[in-house]
Amino acid sequence: NAGVTQTPKFRVLKTGQSMTLLCAQDMNHEYMYWYRQDPGMGLRLIHYSVGEGTTAKGEVPDGYNVSRLKKQNFLLGLESAAPSQTSVYFCASSLTSYSNQPQHFGDGTRLSIL
Amino acid sequence: AQSVTQLDSQVPVFEEAPVELRCNYSSSVSVYLFWYVQYPNQGLQLLLKYLSGSTLVKGINGFEAEFNKSQTSFHLRKPSVHISDTAEYFCAVSPPIIQGAQKLVFGQGTRLTINP
């Protein structure tokens, strides 16, 4: 029962470095999402995907890129990390587009940018 | 556009006491409403959801929430809390859609701390 798996769980970067966060789901879900969680601000949508090969911008997309080359994987990239991107990142997936379907979340990646 | 306000950032209660976590939302269209729970160092899990019908919704772990359209509220309640309920709770809304991604809008979160 893996569900949604995020790697890595923790990472420390220096300003200007790049990295990729990986999200993998084994539920054959069509839709995938990347959020960031900051204290006092809840979760905010960065990018999402409605299917393999498609991506779209969410509420706070600047400074991030994403790719969905395989249905089960959704990658979040930081090309040049900035301290403002220090956050906890969550990936989620859902089976359909209908709003009554719950999103299933991974355990998060805690990212610190020095 | 939708917005969600959770009126309390932190709520401390004693074990076996009742608790209410407050959530108000703003939207120009009808919405679906959700409560998610986040236990320490974990992702979010769905507690309950309101889509339509009865305004009192029951969820997992003994939680329930009541939708009040006139007050645009969706408060979460539990009659008797346990130490294991210590977590952060998020209220979220989403407009009903047929196609496209579900775009949840989250509140700021309420940290529930249960004291023995």
Side-chain angles (χ1 to χ4, degrees), chain A residues 31 33 35 37 40-43 45 48 50 90 97-103 105-107 110, chain B residues 32 34 36 38 42-44 46 49 51 90 94-95 97-98 100-104 106-108:
Chain A
Y31 298 83
Y33 312 81
Y35 294 91
Q37 182 184 26
M41 301 186 73
L43 278 74
L45 183 64
Y48 63 94
V50 301
F90 286 98
S97 65
Y98 295 106
S99 290
N100 59 0
Q101 296 295 314
Q103 293 186 16
F105 286 81
D107 287 343
R110 191 173 298 274
Chain B
Y32 293 151
F34 305 82
Y36 281 84
Q38 183 182 29
Q42 294 185 26
L44 279 69
L46 182 68
K49 60 185 178 183
L51 306 178
F90 291 94
S94 175
I97 56 171
I98 304 300
Q102 178 195 59
K103 294 182 182 177
L104 286 171
F106 286 88
Q108 301 91 327

Side-chain angles (χ1 to χ4, degrees), chain A residues 32-100:
Chain A
M32 297 187 74
Y33 312 81
W34 275 108
Y35 294 91
R36 59 177 291 172
Q37 182 184 26
D38 301 294
M41 301 186 73
L43 278 74
R44 292 179 292 168
L45 183 64
I46 305 172
H47 285 281
Y48 63 94
S49 168
V50 301
E52 181 178 317
T54 70
T55 63
K57 294 180 180 179
E59 181 187 357
V60 288
D62 294 342
Y64 305 95
N65 56 74
V66 288
S67 64
R68 183 118 181 253
L69 299 179
K70 294 183 179 180
K71 184 177 183 179
Q72 63 268 33
N73 296 336
F74 194 29
L75 279 63
L76 178 71
L78 287 72
E79 290 186 348
S80 179
S84 61
Q85 294 177 304
T86 293
S87 188
V88 182
Y89 292 85
F90 286 98
C91 177
S93 69
S94 63
L95 180 61
T96 71
S97 65
Y98 295 106
S99 290
N100 59 0

Side-chain angles (χ1 to χ4, degrees), chain B residues 11-64:
Chain B
V11 174
V13 297
F14 288 107
E15 194 172 16
E16 298 184 4
V19 69
E20 178 180 81
L21 306 183
R22 298 179 293 168
C23 172
N24 286 96
Y25 70 93
S26 174
S27 177
S28 57
V29 299
S30 61
V31 292
Y32 293 151
L33 296 147
F34 305 82
W35 275 99
Y36 281 84
V37 58
Q38 183 182 29
Y39 298 106
N41 299 314
Q42 294 185 26
L44 279 69
Q45 302 174 33
L46 182 68
L47 262 184
L48 49 78
K49 60 185 178 183
Y50 172 78
L51 306 178
S52 64
S54 173
T55 57
L56 184 63
V57 180
K58 294 189 183 297
I60 61 172
N61 301 339
F63 283 93
E64 63 181 31

